[in-house]
């Protein structure tokens, strides 16, 4: 196998293995009633089968590719990936202490900055508004409590 085909072939193989793992894991899901046509495992089976088919298509495409078919590869820019990864790690570490709103707003600003938007103040305001709306929808609408951190006294209600 030539080196230009190796990354796509490896990617396709990993996707196939992941798809098989999803199908095998879905066999462990308990089924509903015997008359249920659509059980809880059906969607995970569909996802697993889709992954296997996608991986197979990727491997076949990689095997058929010639050097003439390959476009010039652009230079890989890892800056956005590194910045968003760092923001996700900080979010996981700080969300219980600082709460949903400031952490998600900061994550929003980091994401926009990583992809080239340098309007930090306006993105912070947008992030605060979106984080607050999401918090309200989850807390009031769905009854799911998100971590509030120091803002918890503002959201306490009499029980």
């Amino acid at each position: 196998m030539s080196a230009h085909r190796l990354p796509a072939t490896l990617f396709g193989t990993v996707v196939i293995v992941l798809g098989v793992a999803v199908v095998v894991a879905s066999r462990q899901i308990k089924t509903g009633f015997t008359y249920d046509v659509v059980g809880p495992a059906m969607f995970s089976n569909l996802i697993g089968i889709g992954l296997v088919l996608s991986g197979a298509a990727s491997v076949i495409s990689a095997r058929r590719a010639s050097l003439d078919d390959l476009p010039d590869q652009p230079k890989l820019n890892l800056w956005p990936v590194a910045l968003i990864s760092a923001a996700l790690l900080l979010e996981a570490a700080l969300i219980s202490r600082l709460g949903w709103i400031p952490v998600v707003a900061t994550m929003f600003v980091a994401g926009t900055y990583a992809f080239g938007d340098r309007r930090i103040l306006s993105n912070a305001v947008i992030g605060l508004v979106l984080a607050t709306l999401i918090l309200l929808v989850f807390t009031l609408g769905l009854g799911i409590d998100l971590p509030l951190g120091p803002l918890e006294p503002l959201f306490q209600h009499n029980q």
Side-chain angles (χ1 to χ4, degrees):
M1 175 185 321
S2 54
H4 74 279
R5 296 179 184 171
L6 185 62
T9 303
L10 286 176
F11 174 76
T13 304
V14 169
V15 171
I16 290 171
V17 169
L18 180 63
V20 169
V22 169
V23 170
V24 169
S26 71
R27 301 281 183 221
Q28 305 301 320
I29 298 173
K30 296 200 184 266
T31 58
F33 298 105
T34 55
Y35 55 83
D36 285 345
V37 176
V38 178
M42 183 188 132
F43 292 108
S44 59
N45 277 328
L46 287 176
I47 291 169
I49 291 168
L51 285 169
V52 169
L53 293 174
S54 298
S58 179
V59 169
I60 291 168
S61 173
R63 301 295 297 155
R64 290 185 178 168
S66 69
L67 286 175
D68 298 334
D69 296 338
L70 294 175
D72 292 332
Q73 296 294 323
K75 185 180 176 201
L76 184 61
N77 184 5
L78 292 178
W79 166 248
V81 175
L83 183 60
I84 290 175
S85 297
L88 280 170
L89 290 173
L90 280 173
E91 177 183 17
L94 298 176
I95 196 161
S96 60
R97 280 191 217 123
L98 298 179
W100 176 266
I101 294 173
V103 171
V104 170
T106 304
M107 182 70 196
F108 182 81
V109 172
T112 59
Y113 189 85
F115 289 105
D117 192 346
R118 302 295 184 242
R119 298 171 295 172
I120 294 174
L121 185 59
S122 64
N123 287 332
V125 170
I126 293 168
L128 285 170
V129 169
L130 287 174
T132 304
L133 286 174
I134 292 168
L135 177 86
L136 292 174
V137 166
F138 271 72
T139 303
L140 302 175
L142 299 174
I144 298 172
D145 293 328
L146 297 175
L148 298 172
L151 299 175
E152 191 166 350
L154 297 175
F155 288 91
Q156 286 181 346
H157 56 283
N158 295 332
Q159 297 179 3

